[in-house]
């Protein structure tokens, strides 16, 4: 059974919307996947990205913000029974099959063209408590070894995946795929996510043109990554391998 959003206003249910697409847009405009007709809601207010059994909320720079369980969020990994508030409307997220992992979507890695050299610095920052997840331009790699990577979901002893940057000024840098979900690309141009599952690592298109793996577009469906696959995304070539 697909996850769904239940839209309500003043405790009155206005509709139910199954999350059957990988990306669903919420907003005031009629051409959104879910229209929320209220002046407090931006034209394109927020997006729901659904990958396998998990969904992730992203505010699209809305005027009045997006809230989950009363907390203002920019990006959020949704859990069953979370309540999203936009304007005066509420959307309850219902998904009995959602992952129990506590990884947050906002702790992601963004690689921008010309900034691939900062990938290692950002990855190091994630190992330090309360560090910001993305390195600022010109930032030096953070010091410290950090804790060992957490066990993969399912406890199956799956090897840790890594990506090595092949092109640009950051060529040779490596990024460990420790988290259940890592975002790669350039927002507004081309974005994909790599998810870590018991079956392995999968890459899924999120925004812009579809990523290219070994010279071929992956299309709209998630593609499992294999040893030494070469991913091309937002002008950067990266090689996937297992440690």
């Amino acid at each position: 059974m697909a996850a769904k959003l239940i839209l309500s206003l003043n405790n009155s249910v206005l509709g139910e919307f199954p999350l059957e697409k990988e990306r669903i847009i919420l907003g005031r405009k009629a051409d959104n996947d879910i229209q929320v007709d209220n002046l407090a809601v931006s034209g394109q207010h927020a997006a729901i990205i659904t990958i396998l059994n998990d969904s992730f909320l992203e505010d699209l720079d809305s005027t009045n913000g997006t809230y989950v369980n009363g907390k203002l969020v920019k990006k959020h990994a949704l859990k069953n029974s979370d309540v999203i508030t936009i304007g005066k409307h509420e959307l309850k997220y219902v998904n009995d099959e959602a992952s129990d992992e506590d990884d947050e979507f906002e702790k992601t890695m963004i690689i921008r063209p010309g900034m691939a050299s900062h990938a290692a610095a950002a990855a190091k920052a994630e190992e330090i408590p309360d560090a910001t997840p993305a390195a600022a331009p010109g930032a030096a790699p953070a010091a410290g070894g950090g804790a060992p990577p957490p066990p993969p979901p399912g406890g199956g002893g799956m090897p840790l995946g890594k990506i090595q940057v092949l092109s640009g000024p950051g060529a040779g840098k490596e990024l460990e795929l420790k988290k259940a979900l890592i975002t790669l690309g350039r927002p507004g141009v081309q974005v994909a996510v790599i998810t870590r599952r018991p079956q392995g690592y999968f890459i899924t298109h999120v925004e812009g043109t579809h990523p290219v793996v070994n010279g071929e577009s992956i299309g709209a469906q998630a593609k499992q990554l294999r040893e030494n696959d070469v991913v091309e995304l937002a002008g950067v070539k990266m090689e996937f391998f297992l440690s």
Side-chain angles (χ1 to χ4, degrees):
M1 178 178 173
K4 64 182 178 181
L5 293 175
I6 302 175
L7 177 65
S8 64
L9 177 64
N10 298 327
N11 296 320
S12 297
V13 174
L14 303 180
E16 296 188 7
F17 302 90
L19 301 179
E20 296 175 336
K21 294 169 57 179
E22 286 184 355
R23 185 176 177 89
I24 286 179
I25 306 297
L26 322 173
R28 190 181 68 253
K29 294 181 179 179
D31 59 354
N32 287 298
D33 298 295
I34 300 177
Q35 184 184 16
V36 183
D37 191 8
N38 185 280
L39 292 177
V41 178
S42 297
Q44 286 192 331
H45 196 103
I48 305 288
I49 301 163
T50 300
I51 301 169
L52 301 180
N53 291 328
D54 296 324
S55 297
F56 306 88
L57 170 70
E58 179 177 5
D59 180 81
L60 299 177
D61 295 323
S62 63
T63 301
N64 294 316
T66 301
Y67 295 78
V68 176
N69 304 328
K71 177 184 176 182
L72 181 66
V73 301
K74 180 63 178 175
K75 297 177 182 178
H76 177 80
L78 289 167
K79 297 178 177 59
N80 187 38
S81 299
D82 274 352
V83 176
I84 304 165
T85 302
I86 57 175
K88 297 181 179 180
H89 289 71
E90 292 185 343
L91 296 109
K92 183 176 181 180
Y93 176 70
V94 179
N95 183 5
D96 294 331
E97 298 181 0
S99 170
D100 291 330
E101 291 184 45
D102 199 27
D103 292 287
E104 295 183 7
F105 189 40
E106 55 260 24
K107 294 180 181 177
T108 57
M109 179 64 235
I110 301 289
I111 296 181
R112 302 171 186 271
M115 289 180 59
S117 59
H118 302 296
K124 282 286 186 183
E126 284 196 353
E127 297 175 1
I128 302 173
D130 300 323
T132 53
M158 184 177 70
L160 178 67
K162 293 183 179 181
I163 278 183
Q164 183 177 49
V165 180
L166 300 178
S167 65
K173 301 292 185 181
E174 291 183 5
L175 173 66
E176 292 184 337
L177 304 177
K178 296 180 181 179
K179 301 187 65 58
L181 184 145
I182 290 180
T183 304
L184 298 172
R186 183 180 179 186
V189 177
Q190 188 181 29
V191 178
V193 294
I194 294 179
T195 51
R196 187 188 66 192
R197 300 292 168 182
Q199 302 92 337
Y201 288 85
F202 291 80
I203 185 169
T204 306
H205 166 256
V206 173
E207 180 183 0
T209 56
H210 294 126
V212 172
V213 176
N214 300 329
E216 295 185 3
S217 171
I218 68 169
Q221 301 300 315
K223 176 180 177 60
Q224 185 169 6
L225 290 171
R226 307 292 184 183
E227 185 82 8
N228 301 124
D229 276 354
V230 175
V231 179
E232 296 180 48
L233 185 69
V236 176
K237 283 190 177 183
M238 298 162 278
E239 181 179 358
F240 171 82
F241 62 96
L242 297 170
S243 59

